[in-house]
C-alpha cells in the first residue's frame, strides 16, 4: 500500500510538473484576422492536454495588455505570450516578467524592447507584405496612379512595416503617388469613415486604394459604392490579410488583390511554449509562410481557405 501511495504521489508530482499554464494577452477583436488568430490559439491549446490557457482580450488598449501581463506574473504562470498592440512601451513589464523568471513568447507583432527580454517572435514579415502589395499595384496600374492609403493602428508593427515595404517599391515609379494617407485602425467602420473623407476631398482623382488590412478595405468598398463609383473598377484596391471577406469581395469584382497574412499561429505557438518549458533553444524570429491572391484566383481558392 505504501509503495502504491509513493508511486501515485510521484506520478501526481510528475503530472503536475508536466502541466503548463500559459497566459495570453490578445490585442482585441478588431478584425476577421484577429478573430481567426484567437480561434487558432484557443483551438490549439484545447487540443493539447499539457497546456492550460489564461486568455485576456485588451480591446486594442496597451494599458489593458500591460495589466493582463502583470496579472499573469502575479499568478505565477509558466509562460506569457502576447501580440503587442503597438511597438513601443513594453520594456518595463517585460523586465518584470524576466525578474519573475517567466519566459515571454511574442506572436504576430514585434516590440522595440531589447530581444533579451523575450524568447522569440512567431509572425509575418509585414515589410514583405507591403512590398508584395506595392509590386502588384505598380504592375496593375502600369506605374501610374493617384493612391489613397488606409493605414493600420497607429504605432503598430504591421502599420509601420507595411507602409515601409509599400513605399520601398513605389518609390521607383515617379507616377505612382500617395495623395492621401490616414489610419483606419484596422476596423471596417473606421476604414469606411476615412475613405468617405478621401472621396470628399479627392473624388474621381483617386485611381487606387492601398489598405493595410481587408477589413478597412471592405469598409472602403461600401464608401466607394455609396459615393457612386465602382470599387475594383473605377478605383483598384489592394489589401492585406486574405480573410474570407476579401475573397467574397474579389469574387464580386470589388477587390482586386489581397496579400495573405496568416493568422493560424496557434499550433506553432503551442509547440514553442512546450519547447520553452522543456529547455529548447529558439531563433529570435520564426517567420510564417504566406501567399498573394488576385481576383482571377478567388473562386477556385475560396473553398480551400481556412480563415
Ligand atoms: C497582422 C495583424 C493585423 C492584421 C489586422 O499580423 O497584426 O492586425 O493585418 C489585425 O487585420 O487587426
Amino acid at each position: 500500500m505504501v509503495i502504491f501511495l509513493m508511486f501515485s504521489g510521484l506520478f501526481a508530482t510528475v503530472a503536475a510538473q508536466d502541466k503548463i499554464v500559459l497566459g495570453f494577452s490578445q490585442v482585441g477583436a478588431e478584425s476577421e484576422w484577429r478573430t481567426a488568430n484567437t480561434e487558432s490559439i484557443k483551438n490549439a491549446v484545447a487540443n493539447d492536454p499539457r497546456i492550460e490557457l489564461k486568455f485576456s482580450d485588451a480591446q486594442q488598449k496597451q494599458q489593458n495588455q500591460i495589466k493582463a501581463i502583470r496579472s499573469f506574473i502575479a499568478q505565477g504562470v509558466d509562460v506569457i505570450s502576447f501580440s503587442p498592440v503597438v511597438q513601443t512601451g513594453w520594456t518595463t513589464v517585460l523586465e518584470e516578467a524576466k525578474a519573475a523568471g517567466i519566459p515571454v513568447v511574442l506572436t504576430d507583432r514585434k516590440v522595440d524592447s531589447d530581444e533579451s527580454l523575450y524568447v522569440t517572435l512567431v509572425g509575418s514579415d509585414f515589410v514583405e507584405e507591403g512590398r508584395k502589395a506595392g509590386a502588384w499595384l505598380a504592375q496593375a496600374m502600369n506605374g501610374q496612379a493617384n493612391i489613397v492609403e488606409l493605414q493600420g493602428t497607429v504605432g503598430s508593427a504591421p502599420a509601420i512595416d507595411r507602409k515601409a515595404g509599400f513605399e520601398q517599391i513605389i518609390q521607383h515609379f515617379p507616377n505612382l503617388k500617395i495623395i492621401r494617407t490616414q489610419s483606419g485602425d484596422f476596423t471596417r467602420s473606421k476604414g469606411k469613415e476615412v475613405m468617405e473623407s478621401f472621396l470628399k476631398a479627392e473624388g474621381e482623382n483617386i485611381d487606387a486604394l492601398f489598405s493595410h488590412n481587408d477589413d478597412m478595405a471592405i469598409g472602403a468598398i461600401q464608401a466607394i459604392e455609396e459615393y457612386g463609383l465602382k470599387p475594383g473598377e473605377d478605383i483598384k484596391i489592394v489589401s492585406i490579410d486574405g480573410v474570407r471577406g476579401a475573397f467574397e469581395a474579389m469574387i464580386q469584382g470589388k477587390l482586386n488583390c489581397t496579400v495573405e497574412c496568416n493568422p493560424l499561429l496557434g499550433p506553432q505557438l503551442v509547440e514553442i511554449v512546450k519547447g520553452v518549458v522543456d529547455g529548447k533553444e529558439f531563433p529570435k524570429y520564426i517567420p510564417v509562410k504566406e501567399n498573394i491572391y488576385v481576383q482571377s484566383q478567388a473562386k477556385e481558392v475560396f473553398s480551400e481557405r481556412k480563415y
Side-chain angles (χ1 to χ4, degrees), residues 30-31 33-34 108-109 126 158 162 186 212-213 241 261:
E30 71 281 3
S31 63
W33 189 97
R34 189 64 56 195
D108 172 22
R109 301 179 181 181
F126 302 132
R162 285 170 182 168
F186 283 134
H212 289 193
N213 85 329
D241 277 351
C261 175

Side-chain angles (χ1 to χ4, degrees), residues 257-300:
C257 174
T258 183
V259 175
E260 188 179 43
C261 175
N262 187 348
L264 308 181
L265 309 175
Q268 271 178 291
L269 175 62
V270 161
E271 290 315 306
I272 291 167
V273 165
K274 292 193 290 187
V276 167
V277 169
D278 296 342
K280 286 203 184 97
E281 297 280 309
F282 290 95
K284 279 299 173 184
Y285 173 52
I286 301 172
V288 176
K289 291 179 200 59
E290 299 166 337
N291 299 308
I292 179 170
Y293 296 97
V294 294
Q295 232 176 60
S296 57
Q297 301 166 292
K299 245 192 203 118
E300 81 188 85

Side-chain angles (χ1 to χ4, degrees), residues 53-71:
L53 178 66
K54 291 181 181 296
F55 183 88
S56 149
D57 173 334
Q59 292 162 343
Q60 285 194 282
K61 291 184 176 60
Q62 182 174 30
Q63 67 264 27
N64 290 345
Q65 288 200 285
I66 291 173
K67 216 184 292 173
I69 292 168
R70 287 196 164 124
S71 164

Side-chain angles (χ1 to χ4, degrees), residues 27-31 34 59-62 65 83-88 90 108-109 126 149-163 182-188 190-191 211-213 215-216 241:
V27 165
E30 71 281 3
S31 63
R34 189 64 56 195
Q59 292 162 343
Q60 285 194 282
K61 291 184 176 60
Q62 182 174 30
Q65 288 200 285
S83 169
V85 61
V86 292
Q87 226 167 273
T88 56
W90 301 101
D108 172 22
R109 301 179 181 181
F126 302 132
E149 178 186 24
L150 286 170
Q151 295 188 39
T153 301
V154 176
S156 70
I160 293 167
D161 289 354
R162 285 170 182 168
K163 181 171 187 55
Q182 190 179 329
S183 174
D185 208 18
F186 283 134
T187 67
R188 289 192 184 194
K190 198 90 174 83
S211 176
H212 289 193
N213 85 329
D215 284 70
M216 294 189 293
D241 277 351

Side-chain angles (χ1 to χ4, degrees), residues 11 21 36 73 76 83 94 105 113 138 141 149 164 171 176 179 185-186 190 192 217 227 231 244 253 294 303:
F11 179 75
V21 179
I73 293 170
S83 169
L94 288 174
V105 175
S113 304
M141 304 308 287
E149 178 186 24
Q171 68 182 352
L176 281 181
I179 57 172
D185 208 18
F186 283 134
K190 198 90 174 83
K192 181 179 185 216
Y227 183 80
R244 204 173 296 283
V294 294
S303 57

